[in-house]
Amino acid sequence: MAECSRRSLLTGAFRGQSGAMRPPWSRADVAFTAVCTRCDACIQACETGIVIRGAGGFPAVDFHRGECTFCYACAESCAEALFVARDSLPWRYQAAVGAHCLAENRIECRSCEDACPERAIRFRPTRAGVARPQIVPERCSACGACAAGCPVFAIEFKEL
C-alpha cells in the first residue's frame, strides 16, 4: 500500500485527482502533477492570464480572469513533457450552468450568451417569462468566455 499523508487523506488527493482544471493540452492530472516542476513558465506565458498557481503550486485555469484563446503558449513554454500535441483536443471539458444562475432564478441575464464566441449558449423561452440558458454541447470549446462574463460565477466546467 502506498504512503498517504494526512493532508492528502483530508483533501482527497490520495485518489490521484485534484479537481483543478489544468491548462489546455495537459496530460492527465496524475501524470501532470508527477512531472510538473512548478516553474511557472506556463503561467508567465499565458497571454490572457488565466493560468494561475493552483493548489500545491501546480498550474490551474481560472476563467474568472478571462478566456482561453488556445494560443498553445503554455505548452510551448514548458520544458517538461506535460503537454500533448496541438493537433489533439485541448481538453475534455464542457460548460454547465449552475443553480445560482440569474436566469435560472427568474432574473433576466444573458451575459454568458453575449460573451460566448462559439454561440454555444442559447436561451429557451419559458412560461415564467424569463428565458433559461441551454448549452449546445457540440459548439462548446470550453474556452471560458462565458464564465468570465457571468456576474454571479454560475458557469462551471464538467469533465466529459
Side-chain angles (χ1 to χ4, degrees):
M1 184 167 172
E3 289 294 315
C4 182
S5 71
R6 184 180 308 165
R7 175 175 290 177
S8 67
L9 180 65
L10 295 174
T11 62
F14 68 93
R15 291 187 200 108
Q17 292 292 336
S18 70
M21 190 171 182
R22 301 290 174 214
W25 293 285
S26 296
R27 297 200 180 275
D29 199 46
V30 174
F32 188 90
T33 56
V35 178
C36 180
T37 62
R38 298 174 263 195
C39 68
D40 293 346
C42 59
I43 294 170
Q44 295 165 4
C46 181
E47 67 181 32
T48 57
I50 64 165
V51 180
I52 61 165
R53 246 179 191 262
F58 293 104
V61 172
D62 180 5
F63 286 132
H64 298 129
R65 302 168 61 96
E67 67 183 275
C68 184
T69 59
F70 301 107
C71 66
Y72 203 68
C74 54
E76 289 173 333
S77 70
C78 185
E80 305 300 324
L82 295 175
F83 296 89
V84 297
R86 188 176 194 167
D87 61 355
S88 60
L89 282 174
W91 46 39
R92 301 198 42 84
Y93 290 95
Q94 183 180 347
V97 179
H100 54 283
C101 167
L102 294 175
E104 292 287 346
N105 291 285
R106 297 186 181 153
I107 300 169
E108 188 64 44
C109 178
R110 293 187 182 211
S111 296
C112 58
E113 179 184 42
D114 295 340
C116 181
E118 308 294 334
R119 308 300 294 158
I121 302 174
R122 297 190 180 137
F123 278 75
R124 297 263 185 223
T126 65
R127 290 183 187 160
V130 176
R132 296 174 71 185
Q134 187 175 49
I135 306 290
V136 180
E138 55 275 3
R139 297 194 82 164
C140 181
S141 66
C143 69
C146 57
C150 180
V152 295
F153 308 117
I155 304 293
E156 304 161 356
F157 289 85
K158 308 266 184 192
E159 194 164 2
L160 297 175

